[in-house]
Amino acid sequence: MNRAADRPPTAAGDLLRIGREAQAALDGGRPIVALESTLITHGLPYPQNLDAARRAEAAVRGGGAVPATVALHGRRIRVGLEGSELAALAEARDLAKVSRQTLAAALARQDWAGTTVAASLVAAQLAGIRVFATGGIGGVHRGGERSMDISADLAEIARSPVAVVCAGPKSILDVPRTMELLETLGVPVVGWATDDLPGFFSRTSGGRVPSRVDTAPEAAALVERQRTLGLGGVLFCVPLPEDVALPRGEANAAIDQAIRDSEAAGIHGPASTPWVLGRVAELTEGRSVVANLALIEHNAAVAAAIAVALNAMSAAAG
Ligand code: PSU
Ligand code: MN
């Protein structure tokens, strides 16, 4: 399925640089999982960000797939970084956070930049990668019905034929409106072995998921049907590991406080999520960061299992 010859021709060639290992996996039709990098450049402080990136890549490998972290560097969209490049990205300060709407402009610059879920999905699609993992997606921000601050992630998930594995929308966002918009955009939201919508730092959000799968082959079959119908992406929501989960009330209290503080500090737009996450980390004395690292790793492992199952299906279909 991932073989070079099966991929649609793209005019993006010169703007895209696929790493050696990722290219070999694509050429050989082996399972591969794309990973985003805004969580490295903006989501977590150094050195936890590098730890998260390495653990995610290791979890993908442990699951039998090849990791391909997406970022920008040298006026190219990079898909698949060397270990030293991952470290350079994690150590650099004041990098740009690039999403779909800023991608073309950012490619005029040499520097490293982090790619959001939306921009990373653009890259995955160009490279011919069908499975992607992150910690959390963007969504409808609180007050978004007035501010219209709605992440480009949602529309991108709707239009990219890529399976997105996340830990559910966190309550930094307006979770009910995020779910409504996903429904409007026609994105299947699928619980991973759960009927409850996971709440990122906590295993439940209070909401329900419209559908669920319990195994990787079941997930792969759903992804394949979605592709056959040409309906765009699928969003898998995976509850974080029990031992690091925060109680829902406690996570929400920290987030409420952090959002009040961000408003008092006048933080808006793309700066909002990184600022609020940093404040939540302070308020939970670092436990939100421990949870964040573990859920990123866990989601990467689930994504690898889905990629492996998709490949097995393609192989069986000849
Ligand atoms: N949620 C997190 N950590 C993150 C992000 C979301 O828990 O780092 C990042 C992701 O890269 C996501 C982006 O794609 O924030 C969304 O930003 P915006 O709302 O500006 O589109
Ligand atoms: Mn926004």
Side-chain angles (χ1 to χ4, degrees), residues 66-142:
V66 168
T69 298
V70 176
L72 303 191
H73 188 244
R75 305 176 204 271
R76 299 280 185 285
I77 303 173
R78 303 286 308 275
V79 177
L81 304 181
E82 304 287 332
S84 59
E85 294 176 323
L86 209 56
L89 180 69
E91 285 163 17
R93 294 290 152 92
D94 300 323
L95 298 182
K97 164 183 165 182
V98 176
S99 195
R100 179 189 175 97
Q101 69 279 14
T102 44
L103 184 55
L107 284 168
R109 293 194 298 269
Q110 282 289 344
D111 303 355
W112 285 105
T115 48
T116 63
V117 170
S120 304
L121 289 177
V122 171
Q125 196 182 347
L126 288 172
I129 300 175
R130 297 183 59 193
V131 184
F132 167 85
T134 180
I137 58 164
V140 181
H141 281 263
R142 296 193 195 182

Side-chain angles (χ1 to χ4, degrees), residues 99 116 118 137-141 148-156 181:
S99 195
T116 63
I137 58 164
V140 181
H141 281 263
M148 297 296 281
D149 189 354
I150 299 169
S151 176
D153 290 355
L154 299 184
E156 203 59 45
L181 190 48

Side-chain angles (χ1 to χ4, degrees), residues 11 15 18 24 36 64 67 159 162-163 171 188 190 220-222 244 263 293 314:
L15 296 178
I18 300 179
E36 61 135 323
R159 74 185 134 214
V162 178
S171 57
V190 183
L222 191 154
V244 294
E263 283 162 1
L293 294 180
S314 305

Side-chain angles (χ1 to χ4, degrees), residues 256-273:
D256 288 345
Q257 177 70 46
I259 288 175
R260 279 196 299 276
D261 294 350
S262 76
E263 283 162 1
I267 312 292
H268 299 287
S272 169
T273 299

Side-chain angles (χ1 to χ4, degrees), residues 231-254:
L231 295 181
V234 177
L235 183 64
F236 291 100
C237 296
V238 182
L240 83 169
E242 196 125 35
D243 57 330
V244 294
L246 304 185
R248 176 145 58 102
E250 189 190 333
N252 288 350

